[in-house]
Amino acid sequence: MAEFVTGTTRGGAAWTPKFVESVDQKMCIGCGRCFKVCGRDVLELIGITEDGDIVDAFDDEAEKKVMSVKNAGNCIGCESCGKVCSKNCITHLPQAA
């Protein structure tokens, strides 16, 4: 059985954080809710061109705007981004101890 990094809540309960693993960009609508709740600079809005190339979100070539994992190492495992995602496109996983 795998063991995961765990912590303790202020009330003393055991807690296993689940860290951002990926964003399903086919499902993402680029609404920005996840970005707004994360104060750790984990996510960023990117643009996708008609050919599937990644560009700046505000580039004229961007056909679609979606979220991307920018700094996964900054994630603290709170899962707030996933809780506000209306499309359920963010994957979180616990980290092995």
Side-chain angles (χ1 to χ4, degrees):
M1 185 165 118
E3 290 194 33
F4 300 108
V5 170
T6 59
T8 306
T9 66
R10 189 175 193 178
W15 173 63
T16 301
K18 293 182 182 171
F19 301 93
V20 168
E21 182 70 20
S22 63
V23 176
D24 184 339
Q25 294 176 344
K26 290 182 180 174
M27 292 178 58
C28 180
I29 60 172
C31 68
R33 290 179 186 155
C34 56
F35 180 82
K36 291 176 186 173
V37 300
C38 180
R40 308 279 310 163
D41 196 33
V42 174
L43 305 168
E44 74 175 330
L45 190 63
I46 61 169
I48 307 279
T49 67
E50 190 175 296
D51 296 329
D53 296 328
I54 296 173
V55 295
D56 183 85
F58 302 101
D59 187 301
D60 291 339
E61 297 291 318
E63 292 290 318
K64 179 180 179 181
K65 296 177 185 179
V66 296
M67 279 299 147
S68 177
V69 179
K70 177 183 176 185
N71 295 308
N74 290 352
C75 182
I76 61 171
C78 69
E79 297 181 78
S80 292
C81 56
K83 291 175 183 169
V84 298
C85 180
S86 64
K87 297 298 179 185
N88 236 3
C89 59
I90 302 175
T91 301
H92 296 86
L93 294 173
Q95 182 173 322

